[in-house]
Amino acid sequence: SRQKAVTNAYGSFAASFVLPKSCLNGRFVLKSNVGGETAIRVEEYKRPSFEVTLLHPSVPYCWGDSLQLQGSVMGYQGAPVQRAAVAYTLKEMTFDFPWEREDKPLRQDTVYTDGMGRFVVPLYLDKAFDLEGYQVEATVVSADGESQQAALYLPVGVKSFSFTTSLPAQLCKEDSLQIMVGVENLLGERIEAVGRYVLYATGEEKTDYTHPVAEGLLYLNQLNDLHTWRSLPSGRYRCVLEASTADARTVRDTLAPFVLFSQGDTRLPKGVNRLVYRQQLTFDADHPAIIYFGVAGSDSIYLYRDEVSGQRLVKQELQVIADTLMRIEIPYREAYGKELQLALGYVKEGL
């Protein structure tokens, strides 16, 4: 079968072929007269009669742990496949170079499903110099020759779990101080743990970890109401998180600094050179868009402000400010249409 195709503006083209029903299954090759080819395989479709699954571990793990990897073999009608032989292969996944990944077979063995179709692959997470994880492959072959496989990549590291948090780079005291803090194992599965935080004031270059300004318990994997932070002075802070599991695993993590400020502030906190806080980005006739913008410095600062709707410049403005934190309100105008782009730029100390 042949077809003519014309390249588009980006140099690519597309075509479609219908294989004759009289063709045998096997390997087919697609070639272009300007060079390049690719191969495809055509096989008879047969609906699988069972499925092999490897489950993500729901517990924390790290180097040196023994892990029982759970799996199952289930028929497509929902019935478990009992006493099925599960041949598994364990491979070491390494990065010899950042762009090249190798997989080295480590162990091969066979386990069997129980009365519920479940099986267990035992693992010992042995640390190697260039090892960054394991690949587990499980294969089941039925009595009539049908073969089904499941594979799971298992990353491994020094820490058993890590934190996820919604703490932003700027935090306004008058807004909601509800922060989500979660803990996940290396596969991203949530785990149970008890958490706490310690908050420190921080400068531009270093943090004094000997004098915490606040601390308390955390409800992990849910929102935490940190309204007590409203009583703290505006400034730069750094939060240290700690969580412990029931089996005495403890992980600590120091978050990036954030700025705590108030709507009533007229200047930036000490050590903060610039702040852009987008409080309200949707607006209508009754509710303006609200942005807080601040730049530190005693000299005159030239602030350029452009408002663009589509391809049209709606408003342009120049202000001279100095060492200030300002509230910018943008009332809705019909000239804005459905969307407005606000561009802010400033020149400080001649730069």
Side-chain angles (χ1 to χ4, degrees):
S1 177
R2 295 175 181 269
Q3 284 202 24
K4 290 184 178 181
V6 179
T7 59
N8 59 24
Y10 301 97
S12 62
F13 63 91
S16 60
F17 295 87
V18 178
L19 295 176
K21 294 182 179 180
S22 59
C23 287
L24 297 177
N25 296 336
R27 184 174 181 268
F28 291 77
V29 179
L30 301 174
K31 291 184 178 180
S32 166
N33 64 343
V34 294
E37 65 178 58
T38 188
I40 61 172
R41 284 195 61 85
V42 177
E43 298 178 355
E44 181 181 359
Y45 174 75
K46 182 179 180 182
R47 181 182 177 183
S49 62
F50 65 93
E51 181 181 28
V52 183
T53 303
L54 286 170
L55 303 178
H56 285 198
S58 58
V59 296
Y61 65 89
C62 64
W63 293 122
D65 284 341
S66 294
L67 192 63
Q68 302 293 309
L69 190 62
Q70 308 286 330
S72 66
V73 183
M74 304 294 291
Y76 271 87
Q77 301 300 323
V81 180
Q82 303 174 350
R83 296 300 299 166
V86 182
Y88 71 87
T89 301
L90 179 64
K91 298 178 180 181
E92 295 179 339
M93 307 299 292
T94 63
F95 281 121
D96 290 344
F97 300 97
W99 58 87
E100 183 178 344
R101 178 181 231 165
E102 290 188 6
D103 55 330
K104 303 174 182 178
L106 180 65
R107 186 171 74 246
Q108 293 179 321
D109 204 347
T110 300
V111 294
Y112 295 88
T113 59
D114 61 14
M116 300 298 293
R118 299 170 301 195
F119 64 90
V120 175
V121 176
L123 300 177
Y124 176 68
L125 308 180
D126 191 17
K127 172 61 176 173
F129 175 73
D130 60 349
L131 190 61
E132 52 93 15
Y134 294 94
Q135 176 87 356
V136 183
E137 298 173 355
T139 303
V140 176
V141 181
S142 67
D144 60 359
E146 180 183 347
S147 176
Q148 298 296 336
Q149 186 184 69
L152 176 65
Y153 170 62
L154 199 67
V156 190
V158 177
K159 293 184 177 181
S160 301
F161 54 89
S162 61
F163 292 94
T164 61
T165 176
S166 62
L167 183 66
Q170 295 96 24
L171 200 57
C172 180
K173 297 180 184 180
E174 286 75 20
D175 285 350
S176 170
L177 297 187
Q178 290 189 330
I179 307 299
M180 168 68 79
V181 180
V183 283
E184 300 176 345
N185 68 10
L186 301 180
L187 271 173
E189 298 291 328
R190 287 185 174 183
I191 61 173
E192 296 294 329
V194 177
R196 62 187 298 268
Y197 76 89
V198 183
L199 193 65
Y200 300 91
T202 182
E204 291 186 69
E205 298 181 356
K206 62 180 182 179
T207 303
D208 182 7
Y209 290 107
T210 61
H211 296 90
V213 297
E215 55 186 302
L217 296 177
L218 288 173
Y219 298 99
L220 298 177
N221 301 319
Q222 58 182 293
L223 288 173
N224 290 263
D225 189 353
L226 301 176
H227 64 274
T228 56
W229 289 9
R230 291 193 177 99
S231 61
L232 296 173
S234 297
R236 294 178 82 244
Y237 293 91
R238 190 184 289 270
C239 189
V240 177
L241 303 178
E242 180 180 294
S244 300
T245 60
D247 57 352
R249 299 171 185 264
T250 299
V251 169
R252 295 179 181 85
D253 193 9
T254 301
L255 303 182
F258 68 93
V259 177
L260 180 67
F261 76 100
S262 171
Q263 294 179 4
D265 294 342
T266 57
R267 300 173 60 184
L268 291 178
K270 183 179 179 181
V272 180
N273 295 319
R274 188 184 69 171
L275 183 143
V276 179
Y277 182 74
R278 304 164 181 86
Q279 185 182 53
Q280 178 67 33
L281 294 183
T282 59
F283 65 156
D284 54 32
D286 300 320
H287 304 90
I290 303 174
I291 297 174
Y292 286 85
F293 178 81
V295 181
S298 57
D299 297 334
S300 296
I301 300 170
Y302 296 88
L303 175 63
Y304 298 88
R305 171 176 165 178
D306 291 345
E307 296 179 4
V308 179
S309 178
Q311 301 295 322
R312 185 165 50 90
L313 180 64
V314 178
K315 183 178 179 181
Q316 192 171 47
E317 187 175 280
L318 171 64
Q319 290 180 267
V320 181
I321 61 176
D323 196 21
T324 185
L325 174 61
M326 58 191 300
R327 175 187 172 103
I328 300 176
E329 288 194 8
I330 307 176
Y332 176 77
R333 297 166 54 191
E334 289 188 4
Y336 294 151
K338 294 183 178 180
E339 184 179 68
L340 173 70
Q341 296 182 5
L342 174 66
L344 295 175
Y346 65 91
V347 176
K348 176 182 176 182
E349 298 177 356
L351 299 178

